[in-house]
Amino acid sequence: MNAVWVIVITNNPDIPEGSLEAVGEARTVADSLAWSLNIIMMGSYSNALSNSIAKQDVDLIYIVDHPLLAHYSTDGFVSALEGLLHEEDNALIMISATPNGSDLAPRLAARLKIPAVTNCIWIKVGSQSEFQLIRTAYQNRIHQVYTFPSKGRLIVTLTPGSIGIAPVHNPRQSRKIAFAPNLDEQHIRTRVVALMPGDPHQIDLREADFIVAGGRGVKNADCWQSLVILADILSAPLGGTRPMLDAGLIQRNRMIGQTGVSIRTRLYLAVGISGATHHMEGVQSEAIIVINSDRYAPICKYATLGVIGDLEMILPLLVSRIRTLKGAVHPENQLGV
Amino acid sequence: MLLHPLSLFVCVKQVLDPRILVQIENECTVIPDDIAPIYIIDPASQAALEIAMTYKETSGASVSAVTMGPERCEAVLRFCLARGVDEVIHIVHPDDASYDLFFAAKLTGKVIQEYAPDLVLCGDRSCDDGSACFGPFLAEMMNLPQVTSVVDLELIENRMIRAVRSLERGNREVVNCPLPALISVCPVQIHPRYITVWKLHSVNELPIKKIIVSQADAPAVTSPCLTKITPPRARPRRMSAPDSAMTASQRLRFMMDKGQPKNKASEPTLFEGSVDQAVDRIIEFLHEKGIV
């Protein structure tokens, strides 16, 4: 049987967006080759999340549920998949290039002795029914095009966020099959002992979910200090614009914008930032809170919530109010194994 | 602490300096733009080297380094020697062209296995090709457990390591792994120390063990064929069809935004009021987003 497979790793209660992107891309490839589209759900939430995937336009869903797969481990996941992906098939196996997906894909490829192409942003089917895989290299400065005949097996990882989630054209209830892998605890050598949020002072801005940033509007040291404290109590990394870098208040790797770091966050708190094009080119955020004294600043166009007022008054009060609210809640308790 | 010193092996890679501009030649080769190529040690390999050297300094571990590539890769091994590595091995490949990673991992694995190290370290994702495949391939060839995207590493008792992995959205995962193992290091949190020019010069005469191989040794794996290299072209984002209930101007805007507006919120709300009210509003918003 020829099939496009998508492996979905579900170790938290949200459906991974990268996997939904992969499902959409896999649907296009499967349609071009008239192959079937099979999904493999693995991890502790595979049962719970299989309903969301079942509404997508897919043929079969394998639910691989096992107590030893509750947390991601290379040995456990590779062994479970080895039993599921049969040798005689022509198969394109797709995995979202999350840290766990990037860990799993090459190891699985080496175990199954099949090639792997990682960090693809586009998978096309050529006129000879061959796969054309476009991947980024040299830190996104070039694109490489690989071709591979659609005979045999190939593993591909897809960079999350590069494609977008496809609309579902033929939603239907897909068939689910439970698959019980034969796993032995002795063979799983690595053990997850804790999950925790990253230290906001150390993590890369590109990794962050929520960022607090300051710009030229933060005029004096007291005001900047309030912003630093605000970032600390919100457990958010602190970034800034070029004037803040020039003033020596932030490091080079904390400058956000076209010539600095490009961020992709869920929430961005921009304080005293005008929102010039060079800055906004590096900002992609689901929601932006703006605190600014100028109601005509370009950033206000992007604001989900824009607060116009004096930063020197707002910041200290905001800090003290949040501090009271946060009380004794420790950030390390937000996640747990 | 461990009772006996560990033996560590670092796999290093030489890359084109990512700070110089590159251009594409003959559709399939990346060359530096207008200047002579500058090759450096890959930042991820350097981070792996830094971790290994930290353990050498604190616990007296022995550290060896290996690289694979043409003669010019010797410079990377000299860099490792200057950093204090005990022994370096150069797997010389006469063909300058890039080789299959399976092949590289198999040969490197064969060399490393003779030394039976406790811990093999490599870079997680190099700054040129960045496939992040070498570590897992090598781990599979050597049948070692692997921990990738490692940002911090600690040796604990009973021949175990505790590695901190970098996950999405800045989250971290702590993993225990028995030795021997393979660790691939992500350079985000590790700051390698500076090596003086004097040190770099002082290792010029030190011996480098060389192993010469040829393409004929490559295993027969049908790899995807690199057919073309292009400058980056943004892939058009997926666009859902505009809703027929939209007005003409809304539809135009929808299409110009490629169906997915980049930054603009649907209804920007500007709030002007007293400081107290402003703070209330911000806190309310942060609360909705689950931050406070």
Side-chain angles (χ1 to χ4, degrees), chain A residues 179-207:
Chain A
F179 176 79
N182 188 13
L183 295 177
D184 183 354
E185 196 169 0
Q186 300 287 320
H187 295 147
I188 299 176
R189 293 168 285 188
T190 52
R191 289 272 180 281
V192 176
V193 290
L195 281 170
M196 57 192 183
D199 179 352
H201 297 285
Q202 291 189 332
I203 64 168
D204 198 292
L205 285 190
R206 283 165 298 195
E207 298 179 274

Side-chain angles (χ1 to χ4, degrees), chain B residues 68-182:
Chain B
M68 182 171 166
E71 286 295 336
R72 61 171 158 76
C73 295
E74 210 184 286
V76 169
L77 296 176
R78 296 263 171 232
F79 182 92
C80 295
L81 284 170
R83 185 66 190 81
V85 164
D86 301 303
E87 187 182 356
V88 289
I89 301 158
H90 186 184
I91 304 173
V92 186
H93 195 288
D95 182 10
D96 202 347
S98 59
Y99 14 75
D100 184 68
L101 271 181
F102 268 120
F103 173 50
K106 194 174 176 186
L107 281 177
T108 315
K110 218 190 249 179
V111 170
I112 297 176
Q113 242 155 4
E114 285 173 23
Y115 290 77
D118 297 297
L119 189 62
V120 181
L121 298 107
C122 63
D124 187 49
R125 194 181 288 276
S126 66
C127 66
D128 55 353
D129 199 46
S131 71
C133 284
F134 180 79
F137 283 175
L138 183 60
E140 180 63 23
M141 305 280 175
M142 297 177 69
N143 192 22
L144 295 177
Q146 71 184 51
V147 188
T148 56
S149 306
V150 170
V151 292
D152 197 10
L153 188 69
E154 185 191 357
L155 295 166
I156 51 178
E157 283 177 39
N158 302 326
R159 291 184 59 77
M160 286 282 262
I161 49 168
R162 177 163 290 177
V164 181
R165 292 184 69 209
S166 159
L167 297 183
E168 303 102 316
R169 304 199 174 275
N171 290 329
R172 299 286 186 255
E173 183 181 71
V174 186
V175 178
N176 279 0
C177 178
L179 292 176
L182 181 135

Side-chain angles (χ1 to χ4, degrees), chain B residues 181-199:
Chain B
L182 181 135
I183 299 297
S184 78
V185 181
C186 190
V188 289
Q189 236 172 269
I190 297 152
H191 306 288
R193 274 166 282 177
Y194 175 70
I195 300 176
T196 59
V197 177
W198 180 85
K199 264 193 174 172

Side-chain angles (χ1 to χ4, degrees), chain B residues 147-265:
Chain B
V147 188
T148 56
S149 306
V150 170
V151 292
D152 197 10
L153 188 69
E154 185 191 357
L155 295 166
I156 51 178
E157 283 177 39
N158 302 326
R159 291 184 59 77
M160 286 282 262
I161 49 168
R162 177 163 290 177
V164 181
R165 292 184 69 209
S166 159
L167 297 183
E168 303 102 316
R169 304 199 174 275
N171 290 329
R172 299 286 186 255
E173 183 181 71
V174 186
V175 178
N176 279 0
C177 178
L179 292 176
L182 181 135
I183 299 297
S184 78
V185 181
C186 190
V188 289
Q189 236 172 269
I190 297 152
H191 306 288
R193 274 166 282 177
Y194 175 70
I195 300 176
T196 59
V197 177
W198 180 85
K199 264 193 174 172
L200 283 169
H201 280 300
S202 68
V203 297
N204 275 346
E205 301 303 318
L206 290 181
I208 290 177
K209 186 176 171 185
K210 300 213 175 197
I211 298 166
I212 295 172
V213 293
S214 70
Q215 192 66 40
D217 298 331
V221 175
T222 336
S223 293
C225 169
L226 176 64
T227 49
K228 202 176 175 186
I229 295 179
T230 63
R233 290 187 195 123
R235 175 179 178 171
R237 302 275 298 178
R238 276 209 182 94
M239 196 170 91
S240 37
D243 186 354
S244 57
M246 286 177 175
T247 63
S249 65
Q250 280 173 332
R251 278 193 227 185
L252 267 177
R253 174 166 293 185
F254 183 89
M255 285 189 278
M256 285 165 74
D257 285 337
K258 294 170 186 158
Q260 296 182 358
K262 192 181 165 197
N263 280 320
K264 289 171 192 168

